[in-house]
Amino acid sequence: MGTISTRVPDELEAELEAYLEDEKLDRSTAVRKLLSEGLEEWRRERALDQLAAGTVTFSKAAELAGMSVWDFAQLAKERDITWVADDHLDADLEAL
């Protein structure tokens, strides 16, 4: 397991301390959890952006997001992203 060290503004550290108390976590566990959740959200947003731009198929975007196609379809619907494109339709249907 790697080690990451960083300096954070006082306000962010105070918010982290409140998070530690609320979640009853030690600092390392809390930072790992928050980093993991942040990266998960980043993967989803990146996949949605690529899908909206038409650079990936729907099934590939779901894979990039680390989600099932059904869960990703719900997310795309919630974000009002149209994902059916003529040039990707065959590949998406094959993946399903």
Side-chain angles (χ1 to χ4, degrees):
M1 186 178 301
T3 300
I4 298 174
S5 177
T6 187
R7 296 187 188 283
V8 296
D10 292 339
E11 307 84 42
L12 190 57
E13 186 175 15
E15 196 169 355
L16 177 61
E17 292 299 327
Y19 178 76
L20 296 175
E21 288 181 30
D22 283 354
E23 296 296 315
K24 301 193 181 355
L25 297 170
D26 64 87
R27 185 177 287 249
S28 293
T29 302
V31 170
R32 279 192 302 272
K33 180 179 178 188
L34 290 169
L35 182 59
S36 177
E37 290 172 357
L39 288 172
E40 181 178 310
E41 179 64 22
W42 173 77
R43 281 191 303 272
R44 289 178 180 180
E45 292 300 321
R46 186 170 142 234
L48 287 168
D49 289 346
Q50 290 179 2
L51 179 64
T55 58
V56 296
T57 65
F58 177 82
S59 55
K60 180 63 176 178
E63 180 184 326
L64 291 172
M67 300 175 73
S68 73
V69 292
W70 306 111
D71 289 339
F72 191 73
Q74 182 63 38
L75 180 63
K77 179 182 175 187
E78 290 168 4
R79 301 291 178 85
D80 198 27
I81 294 176
T82 302
W83 55 271
V84 178
D86 292 339
D87 55 340
H88 291 160
L89 186 57
D90 289 335
D92 285 336
L93 289 174
E94 282 182 34
L96 293 175

Coordinates of all heavy atoms in Angstrom, one line a residue:
M1 N 0.9 -1.2 0.0 CA 0.0 0.0 0.0 C 0.9 1.2 0.0 O 1.8 1.3 0.8 CB -0.9 0.0 1.2 CG -1.9 1.1 1.2 SD -3.0 1.1 2.7 CE -3.8 -0.4 2.5
G2 N 0.6 2.2 -0.9 CA 1.4 3.4 -1.0 C 1.0 4.4 0.1 O 0.0 4.3 0.8
T3 N 1.8 5.4 0.2 CA 1.6 6.5 1.2 C 1.5 7.8 0.4 O 2.2 8.1 -0.5 CB 2.8 6.6 2.2 OG1 2.9 5.3 2.8 CG2 2.5 7.7 3.2
I4 N 0.5 8.6 0.8 CA 0.3 9.9 0.2 C 0.3 10.9 1.4 O -0.4 10.8 2.4 CB -1.1 10.0 -0.5 CG1 -1.1 9.1 -1.7 CG2 -1.3 11.4 -1.0 CD1 -2.5 9.0 -2.4
S5 N 1.1 12.0 1.2 CA 1.1 13.0 2.2 C 0.8 14.3 1.6 O 1.3 14.6 0.5 CB 2.6 13.1 2.8 OG 2.7 14.1 3.7
T6 N 0.0 15.2 2.2 CA -0.4 16.4 1.6 C -0.7 17.5 2.7 O -1.1 17.1 3.8 CB -1.6 16.3 0.7 OG1 -1.9 17.5 0.0 CG2 -2.9 15.8 1.4
R7 N -0.5 18.7 2.4 CA -0.9 19.8 3.2 C -2.3 20.3 2.8 O -2.6 20.3 1.6 CB 0.1 20.9 3.1 CG 1.4 20.5 3.6 CD 2.4 21.8 3.6 NE 3.7 21.4 3.9 CZ 4.2 21.1 5.1 NH1 3.5 21.1 6.1 NH2 5.5 20.8 5.2
V8 N -3.2 20.6 3.8 CA -4.5 21.1 3.5 C -4.7 22.4 4.2 O -4.2 22.6 5.3 CB -5.6 20.0 3.8 CG1 -5.4 18.8 3.0 CG2 -5.6 19.7 5.3
P9 N -5.6 23.2 3.7 CA -6.0 24.5 4.4 C -6.6 24.1 5.8 O -7.2 23.1 5.9 CB -7.0 25.1 3.5 CG -6.8 24.5 2.2 CD -6.3 23.1 2.4
D10 N -6.5 25.1 6.7 CA -7.0 24.9 8.1 C -8.5 24.6 8.0 O -9.0 23.7 8.8 CB -6.8 26.1 8.9 CG -5.3 26.3 9.2 OD1 -4.5 25.3 9.1 OD2 -4.9 27.4 9.6
E11 N -9.3 25.3 7.1 CA -10.7 25.0 7.1 C -11.1 23.6 6.7 O -12.0 23.0 7.2 CB -11.4 26.0 6.1 CG -11.1 27.4 6.3 CD -9.8 27.9 5.6 OE1 -9.5 27.5 4.5 OE2 -9.0 28.6 6.3
L12 N -10.3 23.1 5.7 CA -10.5 21.7 5.3 C -10.1 20.7 6.4 O -10.8 19.7 6.6 CB -9.7 21.4 4.0 CG -10.0 20.2 3.2 CD1 -11.4 20.1 2.8 CD2 -9.1 20.1 2.0
E13 N -9.1 21.0 7.1 CA -8.7 20.1 8.2 C -9.8 20.1 9.3 O -10.1 19.0 9.8 CB -7.4 20.5 8.8 CG -6.9 19.5 9.8 CD -5.5 19.8 10.3 OE1 -5.0 20.9 10.1 OE2 -4.9 18.9 10.9
A14 N -10.4 21.3 9.5 CA -11.4 21.3 10.5 C -12.6 20.5 10.1 O -13.3 19.8 10.9 CB -11.8 22.8 10.8
E15 N -13.0 20.6 8.8 CA -14.1 19.9 8.3 C -13.8 18.4 8.3 O -14.7 17.6 8.7 CB -14.4 20.3 6.9 CG -15.7 19.9 6.4 CD -16.1 20.5 5.1 OE1 -15.4 21.4 4.6 OE2 -17.2 20.1 4.6
L16 N -12.6 18.0 8.1 CA -12.2 16.6 8.2 C -12.3 16.1 9.6 O -12.8 15.0 9.8 CB -10.7 16.4 7.7 CG -10.2 15.0 7.8 CD1 -11.0 14.0 7.0 CD2 -8.7 14.9 7.4
E17 N -11.9 16.9 10.6 CA -12.0 16.5 12.0 C -13.5 16.3 12.3 O -13.8 15.3 13.0 CB -11.4 17.6 12.9 CG -9.9 17.7 12.8 CD -9.2 16.4 13.2 OE1 -9.7 15.7 14.0 OE2 -8.1 16.1 12.5
A18 N -14.4 17.2 11.8 CA -15.8 17.0 12.1 C -16.3 15.7 11.5 O -17.1 14.9 12.1 CB -16.6 18.2 11.6
Y19 N -15.8 15.4 10.3 CA -16.2 14.1 9.6 C -15.7 12.9 10.4 O -16.4 12.0 10.5 CB -15.6 14.1 8.2 CG -15.8 12.9 7.4 CD1 -17.0 12.7 6.8 CD2 -14.8 11.9 7.2 CE1 -17.3 11.5 6.0 CE2 -15.0 10.8 6.5 CZ -16.3 10.6 5.9 OH -16.5 9.4 5.2
L20 N -14.5 13.0 10.9 CA -13.9 11.9 11.7 C -14.8 11.6 12.9 O -15.1 10.5 13.2 CB -12.5 12.3 12.2 CG -11.4 12.4 11.2 CD1 -10.1 12.9 11.9 CD2 -11.2 11.2 10.4
E21 N -15.3 12.7 13.6 CA -16.1 12.5 14.8 C -17.5 11.9 14.4 O -18.0 11.0 15.0 CB -16.3 13.9 15.5 CG -15.1 14.3 16.2 CD -15.3 15.6 16.9 OE1 -16.5 15.9 17.3 OE2 -14.3 16.4 17.0
D22 N -18.1 12.5 13.3 CA -19.4 12.0 12.9 C -19.4 10.5 12.5 O -20.3 9.8 12.8 CB -20.0 12.9 11.8 CG -20.5 14.2 12.2 OD1 -20.6 14.4 13.4 OD2 -20.9 15.0 11.3
E23 N -18.4 10.2 11.7 CA -18.3 8.8 11.1 C -17.6 7.9 12.1 O -17.5 6.7 11.8 CB -17.6 8.9 9.8 CG -18.3 9.7 8.7 CD -19.6 9.1 8.4 OE1 -19.7 7.8 8.2 OE2 -20.6 9.8 8.2
K24 N -17.0 8.4 13.1 CA -16.3 7.6 14.1 C -15.2 6.8 13.4 O -15.1 5.5 13.6 CB -17.2 6.7 14.9 CG -18.3 7.5 15.6 CD -19.0 6.7 16.6 CE -20.0 7.4 17.4 NZ -20.2 8.8 17.3
L25 N -14.4 7.5 12.6 CA -13.3 6.9 11.9 C -11.9 7.5 12.3 O -11.9 8.6 12.8 CB -13.4 7.1 10.4 CG -14.7 6.5 9.7 CD1 -14.8 7.0 8.3 CD2 -14.6 5.0 9.7
D26 N -10.9 6.7 12.2 CA -9.6 7.3 12.4 C -9.2 8.1 11.1 O -9.8 7.9 10.0 CB -8.5 6.2 12.7 CG -8.3 5.2 11.5 OD1 -7.5 5.6 10.6 OD2 -9.0 4.2 11.5
R27 N -8.2 8.9 11.2 CA -7.8 9.8 10.1 C -7.5 9.1 8.8 O -8.0 9.4 7.8 CB -6.7 10.7 10.6 CG -6.3 11.8 9.5 CD -5.2 12.6 10.1 NE -5.7 13.5 11.1 CZ -5.8 14.8 11.0 NH1 -5.4 15.4 9.9 NH2 -6.3 15.6 11.9
S28 N -6.7 8.0 8.9 CA -6.3 7.3 7.7 C -7.4 6.7 7.0 O -7.6 6.7 5.8 CB -5.2 6.3 8.0 OG -4.0 6.9 8.5
T29 N -8.3 6.0 7.8 CA -9.5 5.4 7.2 C -10.4 6.4 6.5 O -10.9 6.2 5.4 CB -10.2 4.6 8.3 OG1 -9.3 3.6 8.8 CG2 -11.4 3.9 7.7
A30 N -10.6 7.5 7.2 CA -11.5 8.6 6.7 C -10.9 9.1 5.4 O -11.7 9.3 4.4 CB -11.6 9.7 7.7
V31 N -9.6 9.4 5.3 CA -9.0 10.0 4.1 C -9.1 9.0 3.0 O -9.5 9.3 1.8 CB -7.6 10.4 4.4 CG1 -6.9 10.8 3.1 CG2 -7.6 11.6 5.3
R32 N -8.9 7.7 3.3 CA -9.0 6.6 2.2 C -10.4 6.6 1.7 O -10.7 6.5 0.5 CB -8.6 5.3 2.7 CG -7.1 5.1 2.7 CD -6.7 3.6 3.0 NE -7.2 3.1 4.2 CZ -6.6 3.2 5.4 NH1 -5.4 3.7 5.5 NH2 -7.1 2.6 6.5
K33 N -11.4 6.6 2.6 CA -12.8 6.5 2.2 C -13.2 7.7 1.4 O -13.8 7.6 0.3 CB -13.7 6.5 3.5 CG -15.2 6.4 3.2 CD -16.0 6.3 4.5 CE -17.5 6.3 4.1 NZ -18.3 6.4 5.3
L34 N -12.8 8.9 1.8 CA -13.2 10.1 1.0 C -12.5 10.2 -0.3 O -13.1 10.5 -1.4 CB -12.8 11.4 1.8 CG -13.6 11.7 3.0 CD1 -13.0 12.8 3.9 CD2 -15.1 12.0 2.6
L35 N -11.2 9.7 -0.4 CA -10.5 9.7 -1.7 C -11.2 8.6 -2.6 O -11.4 8.9 -3.8 CB -9.0 9.3 -1.4 CG -8.1 9.2 -2.6 CD1 -8.1 10.6 -3.4 CD2 -6.7 8.8 -2.2
S36 N -11.5 7.5 -2.1 CA -12.2 6.5 -2.9 C -13.5 7.0 -3.4 O -13.8 6.8 -4.6 CB -12.4 5.2 -2.0 OG -13.1 4.2 -2.7
E37 N -14.3 7.6 -2.6 CA -15.6 8.2 -3.0 C -15.4 9.3 -4.1 O -16.2 9.3 -5.0 CB -16.4 8.7 -1.8 CG -16.9 7.6 -0.9 CD -17.5 8.1 0.4 OE1 -17.5 9.3 0.6 OE2 -18.0 7.3 1.2
G38 N -14.4 10.1 -3.9 CA -14.1 11.2 -4.8 C -13.7 10.6 -6.2 O -14.2 11.1 -7.2
L39 N -12.9 9.6 -6.2 CA -12.4 9.0 -7.4 C -13.6 8.3 -8.1 O -13.7 8.3 -9.3 CB -11.2 8.1 -7.2 CG -9.9 8.8 -6.9 CD1 -8.8 7.8 -6.4 CD2 -9.5 9.6 -8.0
E40 N -14.4 7.6 -7.3 CA -15.6 7.0 -7.9 C -16.5 8.0 -8.6 O -16.9 7.7 -9.7 CB -16.4 6.3 -6.8 CG -17.6 5.5 -7.3 CD -18.3 4.8 -6.1 OE1 -17.6 4.1 -5.3 OE2 -19.5 5.0 -6.0
E41 N -16.7 9.1 -8.0 CA -17.5 10.2 -8.6 C -16.8 10.7 -9.8 O -17.5 11.0 -10.9 CB -17.8 11.3 -7.6 CG -18.6 12.4 -8.1 CD -20.0 12.1 -8.5 OE1 -20.5 11.1 -8.0 OE2 -20.6 12.8 -9.4
W42 N -15.5 10.9 -9.8 CA -14.8 11.4 -10.9 C -14.9 10.4 -12.1 O -15.1 10.8 -13.3 CB -13.3 11.6 -10.6 CG -12.4 11.9 -11.7 CD1 -12.3 13.1 -12.3 CD2 -11.5 11.0 -12.4 NE1 -11.4 13.0 -13.4 CE2 -10.9 11.7 -13.4 CE3 -11.2 9.7 -12.2 CZ2 -10.0 11.2 -14.3 CZ3 -10.3 9.1 -13.1 CH2 -9.7 9.9 -14.1
R43 N -14.8 9.1 -11.9 CA -14.9 8.1 -12.9 C -16.3 8.2 -13.6 O -16.4 8.1 -14.8 CB -14.7 6.7 -12.4 CG -13.3 6.3 -12.2 CD -13.1 4.8 -11.9 NE -13.9 4.3 -10.7 CZ -13.4 4.3 -9.5 NH1 -12.2 4.8 -9.2 NH2 -14.2 3.9 -8.5
R44 N -17.3 8.3 -12.8 CA -18.7 8.4 -13.3 C -18.8 9.7 -14.2 O -19.4 9.6 -15.2 CB -19.7 8.4 -12.2 CG -19.8 7.1 -11.5 CD -20.8 7.1 -10.4 NE -20.8 5.8 -9.8 CZ -21.6 5.4 -8.8 NH1 -22.4 6.3 -8.2 NH2 -21.6 4.2 -8.3
E45 N -18.4 10.8 -13.7 CA -18.5 12.1 -14.4 C -17.7 12.0 -15.7 O -18.2 12.5 -16.7 CB -18.0 13.2 -13.5 CG -18.9 13.6 -12.4 CD -20.3 13.9 -12.8 OE1 -20.5 14.6 -13.8 OE2 -21.3 13.5 -12.0
R46 N -16.5 11.4 -15.7 CA -15.7 11.3 -16.9 C -16.4 10.4 -17.9 O -16.4 10.7 -19.1 CB -14.3 10.7 -16.5 CG -13.3 10.6 -17.6 CD -12.0 10.2 -17.0 NE -11.3 9.4 -18.0 CZ -10.8 8.2 -17.7 NH1 -10.9 7.7 -16.5 NH2 -10.3 7.5 -18.6
A47 N -17.0 9.3 -17.4 CA -17.7 8.4 -18.3 C -18.9 9.1 -18.9 O -19.2 9.0 -20.1 CB -18.1 7.1 -17.6
L48 N -19.7 9.9 -18.1 CA -20.8 10.6 -18.6 C -20.4 11.7 -19.7 O -21.0 11.8 -20.7 CB -21.6 11.3 -17.5 CG -22.4 10.4 -16.6 CD1 -22.8 11.1 -15.3 CD2 -23.6 9.8 -17.3
D49 N -19.3 12.3 -19.4 CA -18.8 13.3 -20.3 C -18.4 12.7 -21.7 O -18.7 13.2 -22.7 CB -17.6 14.1 -19.8 CG -17.9 15.0 -18.6 OD1 -19.1 15.3 -18.5 OD2 -17.0 15.5 -17.9
Q50 N -17.7 11.6 -21.6 CA -17.3 10.9 -22.8 C -18.5 10.3 -23.6 O -18.6 10.4 -24.8 CB -16.3 9.7 -22.5 CG -15.0 10.3 -22.0 CD -14.0 9.1 -21.7 OE1 -14.3 8.0 -21.8 NE2 -12.8 9.5 -21.2
L51 N -19.5 9.9 -22.9 CA -20.7 9.4 -23.5 C -21.5 10.5 -24.2 O -21.9 10.4 -25.4 CB -21.7 8.7 -22.5 CG -23.0 8.2 -23.0 CD1 -22.8 7.1 -24.0 CD2 -23.9 7.7 -21.8
A52 N -21.6 11.7 -23.5 CA -22.3 12.8 -24.1 C -21.5 13.4 -25.3 O -22.2 13.8 -26.2 CB -22.4 13.9 -23.0
A53 N -20.2 13.3 -25.3 CA -19.4 13.7 -26.4 C -19.4 12.7 -27.6 O -19.0 13.1 -28.7 CB -18.0 14.0 -26.0
G54 N -19.9 11.5 -27.3 CA -20.0 10.5 -28.4 C -18.7 9.8 -28.6 O -18.5 9.2 -29.7
T55 N -17.7 9.9 -27.7 CA -16.4 9.3 -27.9 C -16.3 7.9 -27.5 O -15.4 7.2 -27.8 CB -15.3 10.1 -27.2 OG1 -15.6 10.2 -25.8 CG2 -15.2 11.5 -27.8
V56 N -17.3 7.4 -26.7 CA -17.4 6.0 -26.3 C -18.8 5.5 -26.4 O -19.8 6.3 -26.4 CB -16.9 5.8 -24.8 CG1 -15.5 6.2 -24.6 CG2 -17.8 6.6 -23.8
T57 N -19.0 4.2 -26.5 CA -20.3 3.6 -26.6 C -20.9 3.7 -25.2 O -20.2 3.9 -24.2 CB -20.2 2.2 -27.1 OG1 -19.5 1.4 -26.1 CG2 -19.6 2.1 -28.4
F58 N -22.2 3.4 -25.1 CA -22.8 3.4 -23.8 C -22.2 2.3 -22.9 O -21.9 2.5 -21.7 CB -24.3 3.1 -24.0 CG -25.0 3.0 -22.7 CD1 -25.4 4.1 -22.0 CD2 -25.3 1.7 -22.1 CE1 -26.0 4.0 -20.7 CE2 -25.9 1.6 -20.9 CZ -26.3 2.7 -20.2
S59 N -22.0 1.1 -23.5 CA -21.5 0.0 -22.7 C -20.1 0.3 -22.2 O -19.7 -0.1 -21.1 CB -21.6 -1.3 -23.4 OG -20.9 -1.2 -24.7
K60 N -19.3 0.9 -23.0 CA -17.9 1.3 -22.6 C -17.9 2.3 -21.5 O -17.2 2.3 -20.6 CB -17.1 1.8 -23.8 CG -15.7 2.2 -23.5 CD -14.9 1.0 -23.1 CE -13.4 1.4 -22.8 NZ -12.7 0.2 -22.3
A61 N -18.9 3.3 -21.6 CA -19.0 4.3 -20.6 C -19.4 3.7 -19.3 O -18.8 4.1 -18.2 CB -20.0 5.4 -21.0
A62 N -20.3 2.7 -19.3 CA -20.7 2.0 -18.1 C -19.5 1.3 -17.5 O -19.3 1.4 -16.2 CB -21.8 1.0 -18.3
E63 N -18.7 0.7 -18.3 CA -17.5 0.0 -17.9 C -16.5 1.0 -17.2 O -15.9 0.8 -16.2 CB -16.8 -0.7 -19.0 CG -15.5 -1.4 -18.7 CD -14.9 -2.0 -19.9 OE1 -15.6 -2.5 -20.9 OE2 -13.6 -2.1 -20.0
L64 N -16.3 2.1 -17.9 CA -15.4 3.2 -17.4 C -15.8 3.7 -16.0 O -15.0 4.0 -15.2 CB -15.2 4.3 -18.4 CG -14.5 4.0 -19.7 CD1 -14.6 5.2 -20.6 CD2 -13.0 3.7 -19.4
A65 N -17.1 3.8 -15.9 CA -17.7 4.3 -14.6 C -17.7 3.2 -13.5 O -17.9 3.5 -12.4 CB -19.2 4.7 -14.9
G66 N -17.4 2.0 -13.9 CA -17.4 0.9 -12.9 C -18.8 0.5 -12.4 O -19.0 0.2 -11.3
M67 N -19.8 0.7 -13.4 CA -21.2 0.4 -13.0 C -21.8 -0.6 -14.0 O -21.3 -0.8 -15.1 CB -22.0 1.7 -13.1 CG -21.5 2.8 -12.2 SD -22.4 4.4 -12.5 CE -24.0 4.0 -11.8
S68 N -22.8 -1.3 -13.5 CA -23.6 -2.1 -14.5 C -24.2 -1.2 -15.5 O -24.5 0.0 -15.3 CB -24.7 -2.9 -13.7 OG -25.7 -2.1 -13.3
V69 N -24.6 -1.8 -16.7 CA -25.2 -1.0 -17.7 C -26.6 -0.5 -17.2 O -27.0 0.6 -17.6 CB -25.4 -1.8 -19.0 CG1 -24.0 -2.0 -19.7 CG2 -26.1 -3.0 -18.9
W70 N -27.2 -1.2 -16.4 CA -28.6 -0.8 -15.9 C -28.4 0.4 -14.9 O -29.2 1.3 -15.0 CB -29.3 -2.0 -15.3 CG -29.3 -3.1 -16.2 CD1 -28.7 -4.3 -16.1 CD2 -30.0 -3.2 -17.5 NE1 -28.9 -5.1 -17.2 CE2 -29.8 -4.5 -18.0 CE3 -30.8 -2.3 -18.1 CZ2 -30.3 -4.9 -19.2 CZ3 -31.4 -2.7 -19.4 CH2 -31.1 -4.0 -19.9
D71 N -27.5 0.3 -14.0 CA -27.3 1.4 -13.1 C -26.8 2.6 -13.8 O -27.2 3.8 -13.5 CB -26.3 1.0 -12.0 CG -26.8 0.0 -11.0 OD1 -28.1 -0.1 -10.9 OD2 -26.0 -0.7 -10.3
F72 N -25.9 2.4 -14.8 CA -25.4 3.6 -15.6 C -26.5 4.2 -16.4 O -26.5 5.4 -16.6 CB -24.2 3.1 -16.5 CG -23.5 4.3 -17.0 CD1 -22.6 5.1 -16.3 CD2 -23.6 4.6 -18.4 CE1 -22.0 6.2 -16.8 CE2 -22.9 5.7 -18.9 CZ -22.1 6.5 -18.1
A73 N -27.4 3.4 -16.9 CA -28.5 3.9 -17.7 C -29.4 4.8 -16.8 O -29.8 5.9 -17.2 CB -29.4 2.8 -18.3
Q74 N -29.6 4.4 -15.6 CA -30.3 5.2 -14.6 C -29.6 6.5 -14.4 O -30.2 7.6 -14.3 CB -30.6 4.5 -13.3 CG -31.4 5.2 -12.3 CD -32.8 5.5 -12.8 OE1 -33.4 4.7 -13.5 NE2 -33.3 6.7 -12.5
L75 N -28.3 6.5 -14.2 CA -27.5 7.7 -13.9 C -27.6 8.6 -15.1 O -27.8 9.8 -15.0 CB -26.0 7.3 -13.6 CG -25.1 8.5 -13.4 CD1 -25.5 9.3 -12.1 CD2 -23.7 7.9 -13.2
A76 N -27.4 8.1 -16.3 CA -27.5 8.9 -17.6 C -28.9 9.5 -17.7 O -29.0 10.7 -18.1 CB -27.2 8.0 -18.8
K77 N -29.9 8.8 -17.3 CA -31.3 9.3 -17.4 C -31.4 10.5 -16.4 O -32.0 11.5 -16.7 CB -32.3 8.2 -17.1 CG -33.7 8.7 -17.1 CD -34.7 7.6 -16.7 CE -36.1 8.1 -16.6 NZ -37.0 7.1 -16.1
E78 N -30.9 10.3 -15.2 CA -31.0 11.3 -14.1 C -30.3 12.6 -14.6 O -30.7 13.7 -14.2 CB -30.4 10.8 -12.8 CG -31.2 9.8 -12.1 CD -30.5 9.1 -11.0 OE1 -29.3 9.5 -10.7 OE2 -31.1 8.1 -10.4
R79 N -29.2 12.4 -15.3 CA -28.4 13.6 -15.8 C -28.9 14.1 -17.1 O -28.3 15.0 -17.7 CB -26.9 13.2 -15.9 CG -26.3 12.7 -14.6 CD -26.2 13.9 -13.6 NE -25.6 13.4 -12.3 CZ -24.4 13.2 -12.1 NH1 -23.5 13.6 -13.0 NH2 -24.0 12.8 -10.9
D80 N -29.9 13.5 -17.7 CA -30.5 13.9 -18.9 C -29.5 13.8 -20.1 O -29.4 14.7 -20.9 CB -31.1 15.3 -18.8 CG -32.1 15.6 -20.0 OD1 -32.7 14.6 -20.5 OD2 -32.3 16.7 -20.3
I81 N -28.8 12.7 -20.1 CA -27.8 12.5 -21.2 C -28.3 11.5 -22.2 O -28.7 10.4 -21.8 CB -26.4 12.0 -20.6 CG1 -25.8 13.1 -19.7 CG2 -25.5 11.6 -21.7 CD1 -24.6 12.7 -19.0
T82 N -28.4 11.9 -23.4 CA -28.9 11.0 -24.5 C -27.7 10.2 -24.9 O -26.7 10.7 -25.2 CB -29.4 11.9 -25.7 OG1 -30.5 12.7 -25.2 CG2 -29.9 10.9 -26.8
W83 N -28.0 8.9 -25.0 CA -26.8 8.0 -25.3 C -27.1 7.1 -26.5 O -26.2 6.4 -26.9 CB -26.5 7.1 -24.1 CG -27.6 6.3 -23.5 CD1 -28.5 6.7 -22.5 CD2 -28.0 5.0 -23.9 NE1 -29.4 5.7 -22.3 CE2 -29.1 4.6 -23.1 CE3 -27.5 4.0 -24.8 CZ2 -29.7 3.4 -23.2 CZ3 -28.1 2.8 -24.8 CH2 -29.2 2.5 -24.0
V84 N -28.2 7.2 -27.1 CA -28.5 6.3 -28.2 C -28.0 7.1 -29.5 O -28.6 8.1 -29.8 CB -29.9 5.9 -28.3 CG1 -30.2 5.1 -29.6 CG2 -30.4 5.1 -27.1
A85 N -27.0 6.6 -30.1 CA -26.5 7.2 -31.3 C -26.4 6.2 -32.4 O -26.1 5.0 -32.1 CB -25.1 7.9 -31.1
D86 N -26.8 6.5 -33.6 CA -26.8 5.5 -34.7 C -25.5 4.8 -34.9 O -25.5 3.5 -35.0 CB -27.2 6.2 -36.0 CG -28.6 6.7 -36.1 OD1 -29.4 6.1 -35.3 OD2 -28.9 7.5 -36.9
D87 N -24.4 5.5 -34.8 CA -23.1 4.9 -35.0 C -22.6 3.9 -33.9 O -21.8 3.1 -34.0 CB -22.0 5.9 -35.3 CG -21.9 7.0 -34.3 OD1 -22.8 7.2 -33.5 OD2 -20.8 7.6 -34.3
H88 N -23.2 4.1 -32.7 CA -22.9 3.2 -31.6 C -23.9 2.2 -31.2 O -23.7 1.3 -30.4 CB -22.6 4.1 -30.3 CG -21.4 4.9 -30.4 ND1 -21.2 6.0 -29.6 CD2 -20.3 4.8 -31.2 CE1 -20.0 6.5 -29.9 NE2 -19.4 5.9 -30.8
L89 N -25.1 2.3 -31.8 CA -26.2 1.4 -31.5 C -25.9 -0.1 -31.6 O -26.2 -0.8 -30.6 CB -27.4 1.8 -32.3 CG -28.7 1.1 -31.9 CD1 -29.1 1.4 -30.5 CD2 -29.9 1.5 -32.8
D90 N -25.3 -0.5 -32.7 CA -25.0 -1.9 -32.8 C -24.0 -2.4 -31.7 O -24.2 -3.5 -31.2 CB -24.4 -2.1 -34.2 CG -25.4 -2.0 -35.3 OD1 -26.6 -2.2 -35.0 OD2 -25.0 -1.7 -36.5
A91 N -23.0 -1.6 -31.4 CA -22.0 -2.0 -30.4 C -22.7 -2.1 -29.0 O -22.4 -3.0 -28.3 CB -20.8 -1.1 -30.4
D92 N -23.6 -1.1 -28.7 CA -24.3 -1.1 -27.5 C -25.2 -2.3 -27.4 O -25.3 -3.0 -26.3 CB -25.1 0.1 -27.3 CG -24.2 1.3 -26.9 OD1 -23.1 1.1 -26.4 OD2 -24.6 2.5 -27.2
L93 N -25.9 -2.7 -28.4 CA -26.9 -3.8 -28.4 C -26.1 -5.1 -28.2 O -26.5 -6.0 -27.5 CB -27.7 -3.8 -29.6 CG -28.8 -2.7 -29.7 CD1 -29.5 -2.7 -31.0 CD2 -29.8 -2.8 -28.6
E94 N -25.0 -5.2 -28.9 CA -24.1 -6.4 -28.7 C -23.7 -6.6 -27.3 O -23.6 -7.7 -26.8 CB -23.0 -6.4 -29.7 CG -23.3 -6.8 -31.1 CD -22.1 -6.7 -32.0 OE1 -21.0 -7.1 -31.5 OE2 -22.2 -6.4 -33.2
A95 N -23.3 -5.5 -26.7 CA -22.8 -5.6 -25.3 C -23.8 -6.0 -24.3 O -23.5 -6.6 -23.3 CB -22.2 -4.2 -24.9
L96 N -25.1 -5.6 -24.6 CA -26.2 -6.0 -23.7 C -26.5 -7.5 -23.9 O -26.8 -8.2 -23.0 CB -27.4 -5.2 -24.0 CG -27.3 -3.7 -23.6 CD1 -28.5 -2.9 -24.1 CD2 -27.0 -3.5 -22.2

